[in-house]
Amino acid sequence: MPEPLRQAVHQLVSEVVMNCQEVLRYTEPDLARDWKRMTLIRATDASDTMDTAAMLIAAYCQRTGMALDTLASYLQTRQQRSRAAGPRDAERHEVAGMLSTPRPADDDQDAQMWFSVGQGYAGDGLMSEPDEQRLFTEACLHGLRAKLCNDVDSLDSYLPPQMAAMARRVAECLEVPEPATA
């Protein structure tokens, strides 16, 4: 990867990480009044920024002669869908499962599957045992943000004790970069 493109991708990924940390931050109880607006804004900011990174890489690939069908394949354009279309039935069924609302009809296998996924988030399935990798990732994001904002002490006010302790350890290991001098 050419150095200028690498630098751009690194900058964009850093922005995505900060937006993802904000998504996690706004899920905490002390920010309950604004969680809907801010989690959606930051999640879509992260998505748009990753789209920008993908399109910069794609533009480079196109400029250096990559075939358009190969580029479309790598960009996974068949999976693309617009947020403007709003939530799909799959997301609505998944939320129904999370909230334990009535099950969809037995003959709708797709609805049943997404409902079950939602139930997994709510109870004994997908998220019942904390995944160590997920916990580590969240601790890194919270620790990074706290260190950059010089607000490590706030971690205890909004995170569960185990997560706050992990995030504090991450923050303690980080050095804030000094501004570059000319």
Side-chain angles (χ1 to χ4, degrees), residues 145-179:
R145 180 69 169 177
K147 183 69 169 191
L148 290 174
C149 295
N150 198 23
D151 195 18
V152 176
D153 292 334
S154 73
L155 293 169
D156 295 320
S157 68
Y158 67 90
L159 291 176
Q162 177 188 11
M163 179 62 66
M166 289 175 65
R168 184 178 297 284
R169 285 194 305 271
V170 168
E172 289 168 358
C173 293
L174 297 173
E175 292 183 30
V176 176
E178 296 294 323

Side-chain angles (χ1 to χ4, degrees), residues 53-128:
M55 290 301 111
L56 282 175
I57 296 165
Y60 174 80
C61 292
Q62 188 177 32
R63 182 181 188 102
T64 57
M66 182 178 283
L68 291 179
D69 60 331
T70 302
L71 186 58
S73 169
Y74 292 174
L75 287 171
Q76 305 177 67
T77 56
R78 287 189 298 260
Q79 294 174 216
Q80 183 177 341
R81 74 180 219 44
S82 172
R83 287 191 306 258
R88 299 172 295 186
D89 285 342
E91 287 92 16
R92 285 188 279 278
H93 294 305
E94 194 169 341
V95 167
M98 286 178 206
L99 301 177
S100 298
T101 57
R103 288 186 75 81
D106 288 339
D107 61 343
D108 190 342
Q109 295 300 311
D110 280 345
Q112 288 286 332
M113 188 224 15
W114 288 112
F115 187 87
S116 294
V117 170
Q119 284 180 311
Y121 282 113
D124 296 335
L126 296 173
M127 304 295 271
S128 62

